[in-house]
Amino acid sequence: MTIETSNLHIRQFSKHEHLARAGDPQRVVYKVQEGWACRYSVIPDGRRQITAIFLPGDFCEPQWLLAGKAQLPIIAITPMTVTEIPLENIYGQPGKGVQDLLGAMLEAFNRQTDWIVSLGRKSAKARVRDFLLELHRRLKVSGHVSAHRCTIPLTQQDMADVLGLTAVHLNRVLMDLRKSGAISLRGKTLSLGHNEHVQTGPATSGAPHMSIQPAREPMLA
Amino acid sequence: MTIETSNLHIRQFSKHEHLARAGDPQRVVYKVQEGWACRYSVIPDGRRQITAIFLPGDFCEPQWLLAGKAQLPIIAITPMTVTEIPLENIYGQPGKGVQDLLGAMLEAFNRQTDWIVSLGRKSAKARVRDFLLELHRRLKVSGHVSAHRCTIPLTQQDMADVLGLTAVHLNRVLMDLRKSGAISLRGKTLSLGHNEHVQTGPATSGAPHMSIQPAREPMLA
DNA sequence: CGTTTAATTGAAAACCGTCAAAGTGCGTGG
DNA sequence: CCACGCACTTTGACGGTTTTCAATTAAACG
């Protein structure tokens, strides 16, 4: 359902509804207002790998501007509210709109690079810890978090599919982290002990407020 | 060393020389003419994860156009010849140059998504097989390959660092693949049995000749 | 409340890493 | 030309991590 509100198309998705399916032509990009979504692929044996998580404030997905279609399906993890950003209107004026999207694409790119490092070289425990800390960090930006506590609407199967683990093993790691103190996820509530903001790893995603840094002149000025 | 040849800056790198270091401002993007390079990160315990491989014909790295700097180091795997593409000259005219770079960035993005799936959900054997097949496929584009044979200048440690494995285990998988027939890497020579061109997996990287598919009008027309 | 979905636990096996050593190839210098 | 050094590959034995299969408990939802 689409509603026009002062030049802003608002749209809702219900839990487990697809925002896009593989190959769908996309003439809009979504900006998430409320709720979580993810991009995933399913391999032949039926297992799933989640390859991106979309939180409030995120664009979904910037690269649709370039590709004109969704390569992979996006599904809502919770009920969602999004605004639609039409791509047609953006071509003519290569200004702030395009710049924002390309900057967001760069962020997403760097986040993927970090996940390759995580999946390739970190233990299950470190992956889980870093993932939860990253979620907490990203949620801060949109104010969905108090100092040491936030809500994670993912099931353990969802997290396992992000982290390249089985749900059973993820569960064991979560228990382990609880006993180790510091990080505990009970139900949907994530609690961080103190001193959990320390640098745990992202090499590229960098500072919370990363933006485009042109070599000389701003691109597309 | 930089040589001017009809408006084309040619540059050489020797084996193991860095094309860029973490944080380096970049006012150019390279186009690889000869040789291989890779992007990597090193985690605190000293282990390395390679997050991109650059082959002849590839841009290294398109996202420098947006970021204006290298987030991660790039190192030459073999001696290399590259041409420099200055970014300043490209800003003014948002034409083919920018479009090529953004298209290449999209390809790199999709390739990273595929590697997340591979690292997260495939066995070591499938990862190695798919990686070697992908290299063969990519080398075809630049004609560095005969039908069922090509040269892979990577050491087994390099490949292990791409695939998130130890060099010892990678070696065992390679032996296993040789005995299983079909795929064998001996020295630097990769030989494919017949019928190894079948679809093994990439969900997003798509057809060899992927290009930007605008939703309506070409972006930056 | 009953039904469904998600979380938790246990035991066994498969997969992959670690450590240590030996073998191979290749270029450099004597 | 040969000997040496060096980097890379290969092998074995062992241990740890993660998966698999199966069952049970707890929580969420009508």
Side-chain angles (χ1 to χ4, degrees):
Chain A
M1 139 171 250
T2 302
I3 303 171
E4 172 105 19
T5 304
S6 68
N7 192 330
L8 214 57
H9 293 267
I10 302 212
R11 187 162 171 188
Q12 315 266 154
F13 291 96
S14 49
K15 187 174 175 177
H16 294 158
E17 186 179 354
H18 276 83
L19 281 72
R21 290 179 185 274
D24 279 359
Q26 292 292 149
R27 13 181 86 227
V28 299
V29 162
Y30 301 120
K31 176 146 191 188
V32 180
Q33 302 299 323
E34 288 297 332
W36 291 33
C38 69
R39 158 162 33 91
Y40 67 93
S41 4
V42 175
I43 64 176
D45 69 9
R47 284 179 302 162
R48 177 177 73 154
Q49 176 69 44
I50 290 175
T51 54
I53 299 264
F54 302 98
L55 307 182
D58 290 342
F59 289 108
C60 168
E61 301 209 72
Q63 71 271 24
W64 292 348
L65 174 66
L66 301 181
K69 64 175 183 184
Q71 276 94 351
L72 290 173
I74 314 287
I75 196 168
I77 291 169
T78 66
M80 299 188 75
T81 307
V82 305
T83 55
E84 289 189 341
I85 298 172
L87 297 178
E88 284 96 325
N89 301 352
I90 241 173
Y91 294 133
Q93 35 151 18
K96 194 155 188 324
V98 171
Q99 191 126 3
D100 282 354
L101 283 179
L102 292 178
M105 185 173 167
L106 182 59
E107 266 190 76
F109 187 99
N110 288 333
R111 199 169 283 138
Q112 288 198 156
T113 301
D114 288 341
W115 272 111
I116 290 173
V117 175
S118 208
L119 289 169
R121 288 297 182 222
K122 291 183 190 167
S123 68
K125 191 170 176 181
R127 288 211 293 280
V128 175
R129 175 174 47 78
D130 291 358
F131 176 60
L132 294 176
L133 291 176
E134 184 195 331
L135 286 179
H136 181 264
R137 206 178 332 115
R138 287 174 62 188
L139 286 171
K140 270 192 226 169
V141 177
S142 51
H144 281 255
V145 58
S146 66
H148 303 296
R149 190 169 295 258
C150 61
T151 298
I152 309 285
L154 303 171
T155 66
Q156 292 187 6
Q157 182 64 61
D158 290 335
M159 287 186 267
D161 288 347
V162 171
L163 296 165
L165 301 171
T166 59
V168 171
H169 192 61
L170 176 81
N171 180 271
R172 292 181 170 129
V173 171
L174 283 176
M175 304 247 166
D176 202 9
L177 284 173
R178 279 182 214 160
K179 275 178 226 154
S180 309
I183 297 184
S184 103
L185 182 60
R186 292 190 163 283
K188 302 294 176 222
T189 301
L190 172 66
S191 310
L192 303 186
H194 305 277
N195 297 61
E196 297 311 320
H197 317 272
V198 294
Q199 277 307 58
T200 12
T204 53
S205 285
H209 300 293
M210 197 183 51
S211 63
I212 297 185
Q213 290 200 357
R216 196 144 198 33
E217 314 271 355
M219 179 186 162
L220 309 172
Chain B
M1 144 170 247
T2 303
I3 303 170
E4 172 107 18
T5 305
S6 67
N7 190 331
L8 215 57
H9 294 266
I10 301 214
R11 186 161 171 190
Q12 316 266 154
F13 291 96
S14 49
K15 189 174 173 174
H16 295 159
E17 186 178 353
H18 276 83
L19 281 71
R21 290 180 184 275
D24 278 0
Q26 292 292 149
R27 13 181 86 229
V28 299
V29 162
Y30 301 119
K31 176 146 193 189
V32 180
Q33 303 299 322
E34 288 297 333
W36 291 34
C38 68
R39 161 164 30 94
Y40 67 94
S41 359
V42 174
I43 65 175
D45 68 9
R47 285 179 302 163
R48 178 178 70 153
Q49 176 68 42
I50 290 176
T51 54
I53 299 265
F54 302 98
L55 307 182
D58 290 342
F59 289 109
C60 168
E61 305 209 68
Q63 71 270 25
W64 292 347
L65 173 67
L66 301 181
K69 64 174 182 183
Q71 277 95 349
L72 290 174
I74 314 286
I75 196 168
I77 290 169
T78 66
M80 299 188 75
T81 307
V82 305
T83 55
E84 289 189 340
I85 298 172
L87 297 178
E88 284 95 325
N89 301 352
I90 242 175
Y91 295 133
Q93 35 150 18
K96 194 156 187 328
V98 172
Q99 191 127 7
D100 282 354
L101 283 179
L102 293 178
M105 185 174 166
L106 182 58
E107 267 190 73
F109 187 99
N110 288 333
R111 199 169 282 137
Q112 287 197 156
T113 301
D114 288 341
W115 271 111
I116 289 173
V117 175
S118 207
L119 288 168
R121 287 299 182 220
K122 292 182 190 169
S123 68
K125 191 170 176 182
R127 288 212 293 281
V128 174
R129 174 174 47 78
D130 292 356
F131 176 60
L132 293 175
L133 291 175
E134 183 194 333
L135 286 179
H136 181 264
R137 205 179 332 116
R138 288 175 62 189
L139 287 170
K140 270 192 223 167
V141 177
S142 52
H144 281 256
V145 58
S146 65
H148 302 296
R149 190 168 295 257
C150 62
T151 297
I152 309 285
L154 303 171
T155 66
Q156 292 188 6
Q157 181 64 63
D158 291 335
M159 287 185 269
D161 288 346
V162 170
L163 296 165
L165 301 171
T166 59
V168 171
H169 192 63
L170 176 81
N171 180 270
R172 291 184 169 126
V173 172
L174 284 176
M175 304 249 166
D176 200 10
L177 284 173
R178 280 181 211 158
K179 275 178 226 152
S180 309
I183 297 185
S184 104
L185 182 60
R186 292 189 163 283
K188 302 295 176 222
T189 301
L190 173 66
S191 310
L192 304 185
H194 304 278
N195 296 61
E196 298 312 321
H197 317 272
V198 294
Q199 276 307 61
T200 13
T204 54
S205 284
H209 300 293
M210 198 183 51
S211 63
I212 297 185
Q213 290 199 359
R216 198 146 198 30
E217 314 271 354
M219 179 187 164
L220 309 172

